[in-house]
Amino acid sequence: MTSIFPYLPEMIEGFGVGKRNVAIWAGTISAVFSLSQCLTAILWGRTSDTFGRKPTILAGLTLTMVTSILWGLLGSLPMALVVRGLAGACNGNVGIIRTMVAELVPEKELQPRAFSIMPLVWSLGSIFGPSFGGTLAKPAESYPDLFGHSRLFIKFPFLLPNLVVACFFLIGISTGILFLEETLETKRHKTDYGRELGKHLSSFLKRSFRPKISEIQSNEESTESSSLLGPKTSASTKSYRSTNTNHDSTTQPLSSRPPMPRPTLMEVFTRQSVINLIAYTFLALHSVTYDQLLPIFLHRAREVHTPQNTSLPFKFSGGFGFDHSRIGTIFTVYGIVGCFIQFLVFPPAARRFGVLNCFKVCGIVFPIVWFVTPFTSLIEDSAIQQGALCAIMVVRSFLVIFAFPCSVIMLTNSAVSLRVLGTLNGFSVSISAIGRAVGPAMGGAAFSWGDAAGYVITPYFLLGTVAAIGAIPIWFLVEMEGFSSTVEESEDDDGDDADEGEHRRGKSGQSSDRSIPGRKRSQSSVDSIAILESRMSNPVGYSNGGIGPGGGRRLSNGLAVSNLGQGTGGTSFT
């Protein structure tokens, strides 16, 4: 999705839109995407609850791939709005992926993978997406020796980057069919013919390249896989059973257990959940809008500032005069910096200072960055101007990489149980999509008006004001107790009770003074949870104790959030 940002201003100009109206239509196109996503996010979530996470994700990827190709075949502005709306309606995977992570995280063996590989993959997408968009757009002009005589790419100058993106979608879809595990409890035990084919394919390749040891490795892989999905006789499981005096030795099979009741709105919308949703929506609004406006600001021609058109500190205009190739390069470097921050800076900072404290700092700094950005257009020296821009982009990368994971961790921990987390994630995607729809439309209109009037600061001061207002709810947040998980052995010979399969909250070795009223549990459950928590690794790489003050294990369901998603490069893992 990030691949369109470098060339979007030039694409809109190609539709016959005047330069001063480019920002309005760029914001409108982004708003249509987010609004469509808002209207369909809950439907996608309910579909995943009915048919399973895996088929829903694969369907979303396939439809998004189709809309990506259609985007490259556009020839008019109305069609751009229609296709972008379809893309938003088909892009319902964000909440589902969050829910899958939350369902996988209680498995100790999967936590390091879930919370380190997912951010890496998203950051890599944020690196390569803008790079493809910037370098492959208008290939007939950029590479005349290769594509100069291609009628297809002359007629559709933005098709090539979208075809490359479609190839990556095909790789993702194929990988999902062959190797993605279903996590929905009511579907995960059914035969997955795609995964069966994947196992046979992997076995065949191993026999072909390493025939002497393929059988040993195949057995090891089988043992490893069953351990990840739910060890039947692990030491931790035995230890857990020995501590749980209320554990029944014989229960009904999973398929015959009554389904858990659908969570009520009171369970989903607790006070802390509502405050988190408000803070997250404001964060998505101003951050996505900034990402949408930045390529337009960079593409805007430089201005020669004179006393007639400039009256500091507020009246001035101009940009950087960059083309799609340079904008793509800037976003690529931005993504690389984001990867560095994601893995080397954020985890130790979250451990040392606490998730909430990091979130508060981001809330304070965001408005400052937004206010400062337009003043870079006043710098006459090109090298100094680009250096100032890079400094701002680095600071912004820190803010985004910190703010969105912190927000999602806080939102996840505000849920009363894992049973309501899927519904809460669906609402969070829909509600935040409203902000992502309103923000770009509002910011685009403000940019066009301000540019025409000679006040390029207008959209950025508007964003700074919105960010300052959005920081207020952060100060009312409380770091809630993280989830703990009882060991679910639905495939085991002796199984668990339905109530023991529920995921509850708890602080290791302490009473639940901070728990939500009405939430009760037995002393045996507290003891069992304490033992389990001592074994569970932390999502930011800390295994003994909690993140920051308050103790207890904090459970996150996605450290790579981006604004369409939220992460680097202008889209989030939202």
Side-chain angles (χ1 to χ4, degrees), residues 77-290:
L77 186 60
M79 283 304 299
L81 295 172
V82 172
V83 172
R84 200 61 179 156
L86 289 175
C90 297
N91 193 357
N93 285 345
V94 174
I96 301 171
I97 292 174
R98 279 195 198 173
T99 304
M100 289 188 73
V101 173
E103 290 168 337
L104 288 171
V105 161
E107 304 286 344
K108 179 180 178 180
E109 295 86 350
L110 294 178
Q111 286 180 352
R113 295 184 184 183
F115 292 106
S116 62
I117 295 180
M118 286 187 63
L120 173 62
V121 172
W122 187 264
S123 295
L124 289 176
S126 299
I127 294 172
F128 292 111
S131 179
F132 291 147
T135 58
L136 300 180
K138 295 185 174 181
E141 297 179 11
S142 301
Y143 312 101
D145 294 338
L146 291 176
F147 304 104
H149 301 289
S150 174
R151 294 182 179 179
L152 179 64
F153 293 125
I154 292 175
K155 184 177 181 180
F156 303 108
F158 304 105
L159 176 60
L160 183 58
N162 287 281
L163 289 178
V164 173
V165 169
C167 291
F168 280 91
F169 273 114
L170 281 176
I171 295 173
I173 293 168
S174 302
T175 303
I177 292 174
L178 296 175
F179 305 109
L180 182 62
E181 173 192 350
E182 176 61 66
T183 61
L184 183 63
E185 190 63 34
T186 58
K187 301 289 185 180
R188 64 183 302 178
H189 305 293
K190 294 185 177 181
T191 302
D192 187 335
Y193 295 103
R195 292 194 70 204
E196 292 295 325
L197 177 60
K199 291 178 182 178
H200 289 303
L201 181 61
S202 298
S203 179
F204 171 76
L205 293 176
K206 288 181 179 180
R207 285 197 302 269
S208 299
F209 292 100
R210 291 182 290 178
K212 295 182 179 181
I213 59 174
S214 61
E215 185 176 349
I216 297 175
Q217 288 185 336
S218 178
N219 292 336
E220 289 177 350
E221 182 188 27
S222 177
T223 303
E224 210 174 75
S225 177
S226 62
S227 174
L228 290 177
L229 293 176
K232 293 185 179 183
T233 58
S234 65
S236 62
T237 302
K238 291 178 181 179
S239 175
Y240 167 74
R241 287 175 177 171
S242 66
T243 61
N244 190 355
T245 58
N246 295 326
H247 182 75
D248 294 334
S249 59
T250 58
T251 56
Q252 294 178 333
L254 179 68
S255 58
S256 63
R257 295 180 187 177
M260 295 300 295
R262 178 173 294 181
T264 64
L265 291 180
M266 291 295 293
E267 290 178 296
V268 175
F269 294 109
T270 63
R271 181 176 183 272
Q272 283 299 306
S273 294
V274 171
I275 297 176
N276 272 286
L277 287 173
I278 294 173
Y280 183 71
T281 300
F282 271 96
L283 177 62
L285 188 155
H286 63 76
S287 184
V288 174
T289 306
Y290 185 89

Side-chain angles (χ1 to χ4, degrees), residues 464-539:
T465 303
V466 171
I469 296 173
I472 296 175
I474 300 175
W475 299 90
F476 293 91
L477 292 175
V478 176
E479 285 197 77
M480 303 295 291
E481 299 168 359
F483 289 113
S484 58
S485 173
T486 60
V487 178
E488 294 183 357
E489 297 184 38
S490 56
E491 294 181 284
D492 291 7
D493 295 334
D494 43 2
D496 290 303
D497 284 338
D499 60 338
E500 292 298 334
E502 264 297 296
H503 295 76
R504 302 186 180 93
R505 297 180 173 276
K507 287 175 66 176
S508 178
Q510 297 183 16
S511 61
S512 182
D513 295 334
R514 294 167 58 196
S515 60
I516 295 177
R519 194 182 295 165
K520 299 179 180 179
R521 57 175 176 268
S522 64
Q523 182 61 41
S524 62
S525 294
V526 174
D527 296 337
S528 301
I529 290 171
I531 292 175
L532 282 172
E533 286 179 335
S534 67
R535 299 192 183 104
M536 293 169 122
S537 65
N538 193 278

Side-chain angles (χ1 to χ4, degrees), residues 42-54:
I42 297 177
L43 178 61
W44 280 103
R46 290 187 178 275
T47 301
S48 74
D49 289 338
T50 303
F51 299 102
R53 317 295 188 207
K54 178 175 178 176

Side-chain angles (χ1 to χ4, degrees), residues 383-503:
I384 297 177
Q385 185 187 46
Q386 295 181 39
L389 174 66
C390 289
I392 289 175
M393 294 290 285
V394 169
V395 175
R396 187 202 177 277
S397 184
F398 271 93
L399 295 177
V400 170
I401 294 299
F402 271 71
F404 278 93
C406 289
S407 178
V408 172
I409 291 172
M410 296 293 296
L411 180 64
T412 300
N413 288 338
S414 70
V416 296
S417 73
L418 284 177
R419 184 171 62 89
V420 306
L421 191 55
T423 304
L424 181 60
N425 279 329
F427 276 107
S428 71
V429 172
S430 291
I431 295 174
S432 64
I434 296 175
R436 296 196 304 271
V438 173
M442 177 180 64
F447 190 99
S448 293
W449 179 88
D451 189 39
Y455 291 89
V456 75
I457 66 170
T458 303
Y460 294 100
F461 272 49
L462 178 62
L463 289 183
T465 303
V466 171
I469 296 173
I472 296 175
I474 300 175
W475 299 90
F476 293 91
L477 292 175
V478 176
E479 285 197 77
M480 303 295 291
E481 299 168 359
F483 289 113
S484 58
S485 173
T486 60
V487 178
E488 294 183 357
E489 297 184 38
S490 56
E491 294 181 284
D492 291 7
D493 295 334
D494 43 2
D496 290 303
D497 284 338
D499 60 338
E500 292 298 334
E502 264 297 296
H503 295 76

